[in-house]
Amino acid sequence: MTDTFYHRLKEQAEALGIRLRDTQIEQLFTYYEMLVETNKVMNLTTITEESEVVTKHFIDSMAIVKAVVKNENVSRETLSGKTLIDVGTGAGFPGLVLKIVFPELRVTLSDSLQKRLRFLEDVIAKLGLQEVETIHGRAEDLGHQKNLRESFDFSTSRAVANMSTLSEYDLPFVKKDGYFIAYKSGKVDEELATAESAIRKLGGKLEQEVEYMLPESDIRRSLITIRKAKETPKTYPRKAGTPAKDPL
């Protein structure tokens, strides 16, 4: 492990109020090494430089605590023993990072590409992580499965889709009074206003928006917290492809 990786990760995590153990930092470095190596033969990420992976992938993933801590109904301790599904996890951000940082969080990583999940399974095995599983499939199909639908305390996505589409992907997985937390870039006021009707239709209620800057960068991020106020109507999510092509 490099000194720069160790100190950058430790200091930026502490700025979020997260104290990482050395074993966790070692796990994240192994994850970083496997990510960069696998990325040579599989398109996992365009970000591979060490300092950028630390800040733009690892720290950004951990920033979910900004949403959890600020929500008056949720303290960070409630992550312990709770269930979280990362919808469209890609290379494991934020879900696998959160599993490493909060070991008692029970995590499900879903993705539509099997090869990405095989990479994540290799990382999980290498790190010896428990209570984390991968599920292959599109969100529109998985959201109708009885063992997954309205089964999770938290759902999260770090994706470029608009909030209406993301809400249709994620909210069906969340149990009543659970939370969907979306990672978004920049200011999202207009996007949220457009998505308000869709969020309500899907059983959600906008709780808060937290803006923050990634450390040592000019990148503005937003965390959107939506509480599951009531069950999602059985007609949602609509068939594969429809939420993206024709947002509610």
Side-chain angles (χ1 to χ4, degrees):
M1 187 194 311
T2 65
D3 286 343
T4 52
F5 181 94
Y6 179 89
H7 290 294
R8 186 182 187 90
L9 184 64
K10 191 175 181 68
E11 289 165 11
Q12 292 187 1
E14 285 178 354
L16 290 172
I18 297 171
R19 293 189 176 276
L20 294 173
R21 299 188 298 274
D22 284 354
T23 52
Q24 291 172 307
I25 296 175
E26 289 166 6
Q27 286 178 318
L28 287 165
F29 187 72
T30 298
Y31 184 4
Y32 160 70
E33 287 185 313
M34 294 178 72
L35 174 74
V36 172
E37 189 61 32
T38 306
N39 200 61
K40 293 174 182 176
V41 295
M42 185 192 307
N43 183 24
L44 291 169
T45 178
T46 57
I47 297 169
T48 56
E49 198 274 319
E50 182 186 283
S51 64
E52 288 200 327
V53 171
V54 167
T55 301
K56 296 179 181 179
H57 282 328
F58 293 166
I59 295 299
D60 190 38
S61 294
M62 295 179 210
I64 196 171
V65 298
K66 285 183 171 289
V68 174
V69 169
K70 284 206 172 188
N71 192 307
E72 63 182 6
N73 297 316
V74 187
S75 67
R76 193 158 72 221
E77 287 71 27
T78 64
L79 288 173
S80 176
K82 296 293 186 181
T83 55
L84 176 144
I85 183 168
D86 180 4
V87 180
T89 187
F93 309 121
L96 190 52
V97 175
L98 294 174
K99 177 62 192 178
I100 293 168
V101 176
F102 303 104
E104 293 180 9
L105 184 65
R106 289 178 284 156
V107 173
T108 298
L109 307 170
S110 82
D111 202 85
S112 60
L113 281 185
Q114 188 72 62
K115 63 181 182 178
R116 287 199 288 243
L117 295 178
R118 279 197 289 269
F119 160 71
L120 294 175
E121 288 160 2
D122 288 344
V123 177
I124 290 165
K126 178 77 171 177
L127 301 182
L129 300 176
Q130 304 293 319
E131 291 192 310
V132 52
E133 65 173 345
T134 63
I135 295 183
H136 176 239
R138 295 185 63 139
E140 301 98 317
D141 298 323
L142 297 176
H144 285 287
Q145 291 187 14
K146 287 184 179 180
N147 63 319
L148 299 174
R149 189 176 178 88
E150 300 190 322
S151 298
F152 294 89
D153 298 300
F154 298 97
S155 176
T156 187
S157 285
R158 201 179 73 141
V160 295
N162 65 63
M163 278 302 300
S164 294
T165 301
L166 284 180
S167 296
E168 189 167 355
Y169 289 158
D170 281 72
L171 277 170
F173 292 106
V174 183
K175 63 176 66 169
K176 191 173 181 295
D177 293 323
Y179 295 90
F180 163 40
I181 302 175
Y183 291 71
K184 301 293 292 182
S185 295
K187 286 188 167 292
V188 293
D189 293 348
E190 187 175 327
E191 185 179 340
L192 278 176
T194 302
E196 185 178 352
S197 173
I199 292 169
R200 189 168 56 250
K201 191 177 292 186
L202 293 160
K205 184 179 184 299
L206 179 64
E207 290 276 295
Q208 66 171 359
E209 173 192 350
V210 178
E211 292 186 4
Y212 63 99
M213 298 290 289
L214 282 180
E216 299 177 36
S217 79
D218 57 357
I219 300 172
R220 184 181 297 277
R221 302 285 276 149
S222 295
L223 284 164
I224 313 302
T225 303
I226 297 169
R227 182 174 65 83
K228 185 71 169 281
K230 59 183 180 181
E231 288 186 4
T232 300
K234 289 181 169 56
T235 49
Y236 302 110
R238 292 167 292 167
K239 67 180 182 180
T242 305
K245 291 176 187 173
D246 183 24
L248 289 172

Coordinates of all heavy atoms in Angstrom, one line a residue, residues 60 158-161 166 182-189 191 209 211-212 214 219-224:
D60 N -16.6 9.4 -2.2 CA -18.0 9.8 -2.7 C -19.0 8.7 -2.2 O -20.1 9.0 -1.9 CB -18.0 9.9 -4.2 CG -19.2 10.5 -4.7 OD1 -19.8 11.4 -4.1 OD2 -19.7 10.1 -5.8
R158 N -26.0 5.3 -7.7 CA -25.1 6.4 -8.1 C -25.1 6.3 -9.6 O -24.2 5.7 -10.2 CB -23.7 6.1 -7.5 CG -22.9 7.4 -7.4 CD -21.6 7.1 -6.7 NE -20.7 6.4 -7.6 CZ -19.4 6.7 -7.7 NH1 -18.8 7.6 -7.0 NH2 -18.6 6.0 -8.5
A159 N -26.1 7.0 -10.3 CA -26.2 6.9 -11.7 C -26.6 8.2 -12.4 O -26.9 9.2 -11.7 CB -27.3 5.8 -11.9
V160 N -26.5 8.2 -13.7 CA -26.8 9.4 -14.4 C -28.2 9.6 -14.8 O -28.6 10.6 -15.3 CB -25.9 9.5 -15.7 CG1 -24.4 9.5 -15.4 CG2 -26.2 8.2 -16.6
A161 N -29.1 8.6 -14.6 CA -30.5 8.7 -15.0 C -31.2 9.8 -14.2 O -30.7 10.2 -13.1 CB -31.2 7.3 -14.7
L166 N -34.8 6.9 -11.8 CA -34.2 6.3 -10.7 C -35.2 5.9 -9.6 O -35.1 4.8 -9.0 CB -33.1 7.2 -10.1 CG -31.8 7.4 -10.8 CD1 -30.9 8.4 -10.0 CD2 -31.1 6.0 -11.0
A182 N -30.3 8.8 -3.4 CA -29.7 8.9 -4.8 C -28.6 9.8 -4.7 O -28.6 10.9 -4.1 CB -30.8 9.4 -5.7
Y183 N -27.5 9.4 -5.4 CA -26.3 10.2 -5.6 C -26.4 11.0 -6.9 O -26.6 10.3 -7.9 CB -25.0 9.4 -5.6 CG -24.6 8.7 -4.4 CD1 -25.3 7.6 -3.9 CD2 -23.4 9.0 -3.7 CE1 -24.8 6.9 -2.8 CE2 -23.0 8.4 -2.6 CZ -23.7 7.3 -2.1 OH -23.2 6.6 -1.0
K184 N -26.4 12.3 -6.9 CA -26.5 13.1 -8.1 C -25.4 14.1 -8.2 O -24.8 14.5 -7.2 CB -27.9 13.8 -8.1 CG -29.1 12.9 -8.0 CD -29.2 12.0 -9.2 CE -29.6 12.8 -10.5 NZ -29.8 12.0 -11.7
S185 N -25.1 14.5 -9.4 CA -24.1 15.5 -9.7 C -24.7 16.9 -9.7 O -25.8 17.1 -10.3 CB -23.3 15.3 -11.0 OG -22.6 14.1 -10.9
G186 N -24.0 17.9 -9.1 CA -24.5 19.3 -9.2 C -25.8 19.6 -8.5 O -26.3 18.8 -7.7
K187 N -26.4 20.7 -8.9 CA -27.7 21.1 -8.4 C -28.8 20.4 -9.0 O -28.8 20.1 -10.2 CB -27.8 22.6 -8.5 CG -26.9 23.4 -7.6 CD -27.3 24.9 -7.7 CE -26.7 25.7 -6.5 NZ -27.2 25.4 -5.2
V188 N -29.8 20.0 -8.3 CA -30.8 19.1 -8.8 C -32.2 19.6 -8.5 O -33.2 18.9 -8.6 CB -30.7 17.7 -8.2 CG1 -29.5 17.0 -8.7 CG2 -30.7 17.7 -6.7
D189 N -32.4 20.9 -8.2 CA -33.7 21.5 -7.8 C -34.7 21.3 -8.9 O -35.8 20.9 -8.7 CB -33.5 23.0 -7.4 CG -32.7 23.2 -6.2 OD1 -32.4 22.2 -5.5 OD2 -32.3 24.3 -5.9
E191 N -34.6 19.2 -11.5 CA -34.9 17.8 -11.7 C -35.8 17.2 -10.6 O -36.7 16.4 -11.0 CB -33.5 17.0 -11.7 CG -33.6 15.6 -12.0 CD -32.3 14.8 -12.0 OE1 -31.2 15.5 -12.1 OE2 -32.3 13.6 -11.9
E209 N -32.5 17.2 0.7 CA -31.4 17.2 -0.3 C -30.2 17.8 0.4 O -30.3 18.8 1.1 CB -31.8 18.1 -1.4 CG -30.7 18.4 -2.4 CD -31.0 19.5 -3.4 OE1 -32.2 20.0 -3.4 OE2 -30.1 20.0 -4.1
E211 N -26.3 19.0 -0.2 CA -25.2 19.3 -1.2 C -23.9 19.2 -0.5 O -23.7 19.6 0.7 CB -25.5 20.6 -1.8 CG -26.7 20.7 -2.7 CD -26.8 22.1 -3.4 OE1 -25.9 22.9 -3.2 OE2 -27.8 22.3 -4.1
Y212 N -22.9 18.8 -1.2 CA -21.5 18.8 -0.7 C -20.5 18.9 -1.9 O -20.9 18.6 -3.0 CB -21.2 17.5 0.1 CG -21.3 16.2 -0.6 CD1 -20.2 15.6 -1.0 CD2 -22.6 15.6 -0.8 CE1 -20.3 14.4 -1.7 CE2 -22.7 14.4 -1.5 CZ -21.5 13.8 -1.9 OH -21.6 12.6 -2.6
L214 N -16.9 17.4 -3.3 CA -15.9 16.3 -3.0 C -14.6 17.0 -2.6 O -14.2 18.0 -3.1 CB -15.6 15.5 -4.3 CG -16.7 14.5 -4.7 CD1 -16.3 13.8 -6.0 CD2 -16.8 13.5 -3.6
I219 N -15.9 19.5 -7.7 CA -17.1 18.7 -8.0 C -18.2 18.8 -7.0 O -18.0 18.5 -5.8 CB -16.6 17.2 -8.2 CG1 -15.6 17.1 -9.3 CG2 -17.9 16.4 -8.5 CD1 -15.0 15.8 -9.5
R220 N -19.3 19.3 -7.4 CA -20.5 19.5 -6.5 C -21.4 18.2 -6.6 O -21.7 17.8 -7.7 CB -21.2 20.7 -6.8 CG -22.4 21.0 -5.9 CD -23.2 22.3 -6.3 NE -22.3 23.4 -6.2 CZ -22.1 24.1 -5.1 NH1 -22.6 23.7 -4.0 NH2 -21.3 25.2 -5.1
R221 N -21.7 17.7 -5.5 CA -22.6 16.5 -5.5 C -23.8 16.8 -4.6 O -23.8 17.7 -3.8 CB -21.8 15.3 -4.9 CG -20.6 15.0 -5.6 CD -20.8 14.2 -6.9 NE -21.0 12.8 -6.7 CZ -21.8 12.1 -7.4 NH1 -22.5 12.6 -8.4 NH2 -21.9 10.8 -7.2
S222 N -24.9 16.0 -4.9 CA -26.1 16.1 -4.1 C -26.6 14.7 -3.7 O -26.5 13.8 -4.5 CB -27.2 16.8 -4.9 OG -26.9 18.1 -5.2
L223 N -27.0 14.6 -2.5 CA -27.6 13.3 -2.0 C -29.1 13.6 -1.7 O -29.5 14.5 -1.0 CB -27.0 12.8 -0.7 CG -25.6 12.2 -0.8 CD1 -24.9 12.2 0.6 CD2 -25.7 10.8 -1.4
I224 N -29.9 12.8 -2.4 CA -31.4 13.0 -2.3 C -32.0 11.9 -1.5 O -31.8 10.7 -1.8 CB -32.1 13.0 -3.7 CG1 -31.3 13.9 -4.7 CG2 -33.5 13.4 -3.6 CD1 -31.2 15.4 -4.2

